């Protein structure tokens, strides 16, 4: 019973609560991801847009919290922190009482807001960089924080260069908590590659208690595969990573599809697509005056909230 499995693993009080929080496809993905993490592995969520990867990411964060691990959510831009928080709220938060978690935000511009119609409410403000670094230097999770929010850019510098003190402190903090943390990587292809981000992230993933990679285009380029090797059965193949990358580069989609099929077979990847054939789409066009009024009001609202 997949719904019952997810209910137990995420700490929901009933199966109805699970079905209120997640669609059927989302329940399946969460069940597969949890099963792999409990084996010490990772999971690749390759669903196309429209299937609700955000709620699945939120569900994995709730699972981490429920089993006493630290959720670490990484995405491409600080503006997406608000979207991630909305998904957390939509699944009933991390706990059954609905209490909302407090994020430890790495990005100084990572404001978490709630938008209801034309009303924008600021829920959480990030600390100043100096304060964030001070917490990171302790190499342990702040007592008041429930989850870590950051973007891939926070891992973009060379951590062997002593001049990059702030990013070294943040990296060392993540490294210290990694064995007790579950990493949820939104748009994971943005963290892949042979640059500083890919290198730093791969080390953290290898140390982590579990990782879920979320991306509809998880392996855009051959070198992207390096990110997924440490937490999948590819590591157990005894084939050198560079050999795999070379094979993908030389043979293209044929090898990528072969690797993907084996990952799916092992339960470490899933990809679903939903067709929109026969869906009726009705467009409503605003007259010029209405459009001008709409954007003027939107501009004034944003100016009021961010003077």
């Amino acid at each position: 019973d997949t719904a019952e499995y997810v209910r137990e693993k995420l700490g929901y009080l009933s199966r109805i609560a699970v079905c209120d929080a997640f669609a059927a496809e989302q329940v399946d993905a969460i069940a597969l991801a949890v099963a792999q993490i409990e084996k010490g592995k990772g999971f690749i969520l390759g669903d196309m847009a429209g299937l609700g990867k955000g709620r699945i990411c939120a569900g994995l964060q709730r699972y981490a919290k429920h089993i006493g691990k630290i959720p670490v959510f990484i995405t491409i831009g600080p503006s997406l922190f608000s979207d991630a928080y909305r998904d957390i709220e939509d699944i009933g938060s991390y706990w059954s009482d609905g209490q909302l978690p407090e994020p430890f935000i790495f990005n100084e511009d990572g404001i978490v807001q709630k938008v209801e119609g034309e009303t924008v409410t600021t829920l959480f403000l990030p600390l100043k960089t100096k304060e964030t670094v001070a917490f990171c230097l302790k190499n342990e999770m702040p007592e008041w924080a429930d989850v870590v929010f950051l973007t891939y850019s926070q891992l973009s510098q060379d951590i062997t260069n002593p001049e990059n003190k702030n990013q070294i402190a943040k990296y060392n903090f993540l490294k210290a908590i990694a064995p007790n943390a579950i990493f949820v990587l939104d748009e994971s292809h943005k963290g892949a590659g042979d640059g500083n981000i890919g290198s730093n992230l791969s080390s953290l993933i290898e140390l982590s208690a579990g990782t879920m990679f979320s991306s509809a285009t998880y392996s855009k380029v051959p070198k992207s595969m390096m990110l997924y090797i440490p937490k999948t059965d590819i590591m157990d193949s005894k084939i050198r990573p560079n050999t795999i990358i070379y094979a993908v580069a030389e043979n293209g989609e044929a090898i990528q599809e072969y690797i993907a099929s084996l990952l799916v077979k092992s339960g470490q990847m899933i990809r679903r697509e939903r067709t929109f054939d026969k869906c009726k789409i009705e467009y409503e066009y605003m007259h010029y005056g209405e459009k001008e009024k709409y954007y003027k009001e939107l501009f004034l609202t944003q100016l009021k909230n961010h003077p």
Side-chain angles (χ1 to χ4, degrees):
D1 187 331
T2 313
E4 176 59 24
Y5 178 82
V6 171
R7 184 204 68 76
E8 177 188 344
K9 296 298 182 180
L10 273 63
Y12 283 97
L13 297 179
S14 67
R15 286 175 47 176
I16 289 179
V18 172
C19 297
D20 281 342
F22 306 106
E25 298 97 334
Q26 295 163 347
V27 171
D28 289 346
I30 291 169
L32 285 168
V34 167
Q36 290 302 322
I37 288 171
E38 292 191 346
K39 295 176 183 177
K41 297 287 188 177
F43 181 76
I44 301 170
L45 176 64
D47 289 345
M48 69 170 285
L51 271 84
K53 292 193 291 292
R55 286 206 183 195
I56 299 170
C57 289
L60 263 290
Q61 293 172 55
R62 176 173 172 130
Y63 164 70
K65 202 69 182 173
H66 183 66
I67 64 171
K69 303 295 184 185
I70 301 168
V72 178
F73 177 76
I74 310 180
T75 188
I76 57 177
S79 61
L80 295 176
F81 293 161
S82 296
D83 293 341
Y85 208 85
R86 181 198 62 225
D87 289 321
I88 292 169
E89 190 172 11
D90 286 346
I91 68 162
S93 189
Y94 290 168
W95 307 276
S96 294
D97 62 6
Q99 179 184 346
L100 293 175
E102 186 159 350
F104 179 30
I105 303 170
F106 275 19
N107 299 65
E108 196 169 22
D109 56 348
I111 301 171
V112 178
Q113 296 178 318
K114 183 176 183 178
V115 180
E116 294 177 304
E118 296 182 358
T119 304
V120 180
T121 305
T122 297
L123 300 177
F124 297 101
L125 290 169
L127 302 171
K128 296 295 182 183
T129 298
K130 185 182 291 187
E131 297 173 297
T132 300
V133 170
F135 275 112
C136 287
L137 287 171
K138 297 177 182 179
N139 283 341
E140 58 183 31
M141 192 71 169
E143 291 184 3
W144 47 266
D146 300 299
V147 57
V148 182
F149 276 4
L150 68 147
T151 62
Y152 294 110
S153 63
Q154 298 295 303
L155 296 168
S156 63
Q157 293 181 1
D158 180 4
I159 58 168
T160 64
N161 185 346
E163 292 183 3
N164 300 324
K165 293 180 180 179
N166 290 347
Q167 286 215 354
I168 290 173
K170 292 175 181 179
Y171 172 81
N172 286 338
F173 165 80
L174 292 172
K175 186 177 179 181
I177 68 169
N180 192 43
I182 291 176
F183 285 70
V184 178
L185 308 186
D186 180 41
E187 302 292 352
S188 60
H189 61 276
K190 292 291 186 178
D194 57 354
N196 289 330
I197 296 176
S199 175
N200 295 336
L201 200 51
S202 293
S203 299
L204 296 174
I205 289 168
E206 193 169 358
L207 291 169
S208 73
T211 301
M212 187 180 79
F213 309 91
S214 174
S215 173
T217 54
Y218 81 104
S219 60
K220 272 195 167 184
V221 296
K223 289 182 179 178
S224 297
M225 295 303 300
M226 290 293 290
L227 188 68
Y228 308 101
I229 291 174
K231 282 295 181 185
T232 62
D233 285 350
I234 300 173
M235 177 63 81
D236 302 331
S237 68
K238 307 303 181 185
I239 302 173
R240 290 181 299 177
N242 287 337
T243 302
I244 295 172
I245 292 170
Y246 176 78
V248 172
E250 287 293 306
N251 300 281
E253 290 184 3
I255 293 295
Q256 284 180 312
E257 289 177 6
Y258 176 70
I259 293 172
S261 68
L262 293 178
L263 289 171
V264 170
K265 188 176 181 180
S266 68
Q268 293 176 357
M269 179 181 175
I270 195 168
R271 175 176 170 82
R272 283 78 55 88
E273 295 193 10
R274 183 177 288 166
T275 177
F276 291 96
D277 289 348
K278 299 180 181 179
C279 289
K280 187 177 180 181
I281 301 174
E282 296 181 355
Y283 295 96
E284 291 186 11
Y285 295 95
M286 292 187 288
H287 295 295
Y288 179 77
E290 294 174 342
K291 188 183 294 185
E292 185 180 52
K293 181 182 176 183
Y294 169 78
Y295 284 111
K296 184 177 179 181
E297 290 176 350
L298 181 64
F299 171 74
L300 291 173
T301 301
Q302 292 176 338
L303 189 64
K304 181 180 177 182
N305 292 315
H306 303 287

